Amino acid sequence: MKLLSHNMLTSTCLKGVSVGYPLGINANDIKVNEVDFNAEFISRIIPKLDWTTLYKAAETLGHAEDLPAELISEWDKDEKFLKQAHHVLLEVEVIEGELICPESGRKFPINNGIPNMLLNESEVDL
């Protein structure tokens, strides 16, 4: 699971969960795969992100060393920053681990890089 995906996932569909964001991460296996840099894509995706959540996720995985904790001004003109964002968004991947709902503590497994967010019928408000 890439951190781009993590930034967009919530567990609000669980009974009794009102926010369900951001999900915690426990990673057992992390891989870094090189991905071609596309400045235009990164520039378009950054406004859609919760930057604080991205930074904390990268920090949890040990990949926040060059990433600023807060979104810098004129980030769209800073190629070094865009490459740092590209790295944590698209190159760092959780292969095995789990996501954790911040409100209920419900754990969602990540296997082969795919988070399983399926719920049992008893866990869903109908």
Side-chain angles (χ1 to χ4, degrees):
M1 176 197 69
K2 297 184 186 306
L3 293 186
L4 174 59
S5 299
H6 171 262
N7 202 269
M8 313 233 172
L9 293 173
T10 78
S11 57
T12 54
C13 53
L14 283 169
K15 273 185 187 174
V17 173
S18 59
V19 178
Y21 183 85
L23 297 170
I25 303 175
N26 280 339
N28 301 327
D29 186 17
I30 300 167
K31 223 181 223 179
V32 177
N33 296 311
E34 191 172 322
V35 175
D36 290 340
F37 176 64
N38 182 333
E40 182 181 351
F41 174 77
I42 297 299
S43 293
R44 289 181 182 217
I45 202 71
I46 286 177
K48 296 171 175 56
L49 299 173
D50 179 326
W51 188 261
T52 302
T53 296
L54 175 64
Y55 179 80
K56 287 180 182 173
E59 187 176 46
T60 297
L61 300 179
H63 286 271
E65 59 275 350
D66 295 325
L67 198 66
E70 295 180 8
L71 194 57
I72 63 172
S73 62
E74 299 196 23
W75 54 265
D76 55 330
K77 296 172 181 67
D78 187 332
E79 187 170 335
K80 181 181 176 194
F81 169 78
L82 292 174
K83 286 184 176 182
Q84 292 165 337
H86 163 85
H87 173 72
V88 296
L89 286 168
L90 301 176
E91 295 182 336
V92 175
E93 186 170 2
V94 177
I95 303 301
E96 301 292 332
E98 59 193 9
L99 298 172
I100 304 146
C101 174
E103 292 176 55
S104 70
R106 165 70 150 86
K107 295 179 180 178
F108 300 95
I110 302 168
N111 296 305
N112 297 317
I114 301 168
N116 181 348
M117 302 289 291
L118 295 175
L119 300 174
N120 298 314
E121 192 173 321
S122 62
E123 296 177 296
V124 181
D125 272 332
L126 299 176

